Amino acid sequence: MCRKCSHDLASRPETPPQGRLPLVGFPAAVCPSRSPVARPGGVTRGGSGRAAAPWARAAAVMDAWVRFSAQSQARERLCRAAQYACSLLGHALQRHGASPELQKQIRQLEGHLSLGRKLLRLGNSADALESAKRAVHLSDVVLRFCITVSHLNRALYFACDNVLWAGKSGLAPRVDQEKWAQRSFRYYLFSLIMNLSRDAYEIRLLMEQETSAYGRRMKVSGVPGGVETGGPGGPGTPGASLPQLALKFRLRVLLLARVLRGHPPLLLDVLRNACDLFIPLDKLGLWRCGPGIVGLCGLISSILSILTLICPWLRLKP
């Protein structure tokens, strides 16, 4: 007899009544309360079970946070697309002379979507700092600098955005919203400049690889020449004629189109960053392009961001 749960250790499985399936009994001298399978998670009462429990809880918390962060990111991008769609719609209604009441409702909806996006971005500063810590270990010096500085500026942008959310939601009513908005858009602009610099560097590397591969193919086939030409009167000399310069420019544009067509993640990243660039330029007053252009560019970049979430292979790495 077990002292803990009163199970008869010497008992054997009884013969079931006719018409019922036999039940699997416990072996002799084994108590189900002492079996690791009888406890949740199959963890025994040894020291290893107590040591593994905190790590298991930490892993579960991290998995939950990753899932929540991914869901928040998807919702934030959907809200962003809806916000800039409202901005574009409001501009179109204003140009076509819609009623002031309808325009006011569209502006209110845009403001609510903007405030909801700020709420969903409350934890993004920590994610940006973690991304910056990972980017420090990149082997390429240019990529390391561009990506790290970009993530640091994104972290500062999200921090300013959190302060702005606290002011708009009433938690910190004394916050100067205009000043913090200017700061956030300034950091956002620096981040986009770093992203475009990284894109330009990767395009340059790919174009050099394509040019060298084309030169090797021409050398193997026995045909001299390539994309770059030299010599007296060539495009690389001061006395080059205008048609030669136009031909060289056309070859470079064709090479650029070929590189971008062969690397869809790079193409999407260039388009998204170029569209996003108009937003801080307009908000900071560096280049006034109007709410229509801002809404259109924001909507296009939001759709491209949602596309990278649906198809992860379209996301530029690292």
Side-chain angles (χ1 to χ4, degrees):
M1 182 73 67
C2 177
R3 301 176 184 175
K4 188 172 182 179
C5 57
S6 303
H7 283 93
D8 190 1
L9 300 180
S11 62
R12 294 291 186 268
E14 299 179 358
T15 305
Q18 190 174 4
R20 294 187 182 180
L21 295 176
L23 298 177
V24 179
F26 292 99
V30 175
C31 178
S33 63
R34 298 182 183 179
S35 175
V37 183
R39 300 188 186 95
V43 181
T44 58
R45 289 196 171 189
S48 60
R50 286 193 296 268
W55 290 104
R57 284 194 293 268
V61 170
M62 288 300 298
D63 291 340
W65 170 255
V66 168
R67 289 194 298 268
F68 175 75
S69 179
Q71 294 174 359
S72 299
Q73 188 178 15
R75 292 168 184 166
E76 191 272 332
R77 294 188 183 184
L78 288 174
C79 288
R80 187 177 190 267
Q83 175 190 348
Y84 286 109
C86 289
S87 177
L88 184 61
L89 178 61
H91 176 71
L93 291 175
Q94 184 179 4
R95 290 193 59 182
H96 289 82
S99 62
E101 185 65 27
L102 180 59
Q103 296 182 30
K104 181 181 178 181
Q105 291 178 358
I106 295 296
R107 285 194 299 269
Q108 289 178 351
L109 178 59
E110 181 184 356
H112 292 323
L113 289 171
S114 176
L115 193 61
R117 283 183 58 211
K118 290 177 174 23
L119 177 62
L120 293 173
R121 291 200 299 251
L122 284 180
N124 287 8
S125 294
D127 295 338
L129 289 176
E130 287 294 327
S131 301
K133 287 171 59 178
R134 290 193 298 267
V136 170
H137 303 288
L138 293 175
S139 58
D140 194 294
V141 179
V142 179
L143 288 180
R144 186 195 313 159
F145 174 77
C146 292
I147 297 176
T148 304
V149 175
S150 173
H151 285 309
L152 290 177
N153 279 281
R154 284 181 64 245
L156 293 173
Y157 161 67
F158 288 133
C160 295
D161 195 66
N162 295 339
V163 175
L164 191 61
W165 172 81
K168 287 188 175 183
S169 60
L171 296 177
R174 297 184 180 181
V175 169
D176 190 348
Q177 299 184 15
E178 184 64 26
K179 181 181 70 175
W180 284 99
Q182 293 292 312
R183 287 178 179 174
S184 65
F185 282 118
R186 196 177 298 119
Y187 290 127
Y188 185 35
L189 179 61
F190 291 157
S191 175
L192 291 175
I193 290 174
M194 288 293 103
N195 290 340
L196 288 172
S197 302
R198 176 257 184 103
D199 294 337
Y201 176 71
E202 295 206 5
I203 288 173
R204 178 177 172 271
L205 291 180
L206 292 173
M207 290 178 69
E208 289 179 354
Q209 294 176 6
E210 191 71 24
T211 303
S212 60
Y214 179 77
R216 287 194 298 268
R217 289 196 299 267
M218 292 296 102
K219 192 177 295 184
V220 169
S221 61
V223 179
V227 177
E228 299 290 342
T229 59
T237 61
S241 60
L242 187 60
Q244 289 175 333
L245 292 175
L247 177 61
K248 180 182 177 181
F249 178 74
R250 182 183 177 186
L251 290 175
R252 301 297 290 183
V253 170
L254 291 176
L255 180 60
L256 174 63
R258 182 175 179 177
V259 166
L260 291 177
R261 187 172 64 247
H263 299 81
L266 182 58
L267 175 61
L268 260 66
D269 197 69
V270 170
L271 291 176
R272 185 166 56 88
N273 290 321
C275 290
D276 284 336
L277 191 63
F278 290 95
I279 300 173
L281 288 177
D282 181 79
K283 299 297 183 181
L284 293 173
L286 301 176
W287 185 26
R288 296 290 185 183
C289 49
I293 301 297
V294 170
L296 179 61
C297 292
L299 180 60
I300 292 174
S301 66
S302 302
I303 293 174
L304 294 178
S305 300
I306 294 172
L307 188 60
T308 57
L309 285 180
I310 297 174
C311 305
W313 64 273
L314 290 176
R315 187 178 304 167
L316 186 62
K317 299 175 182 179

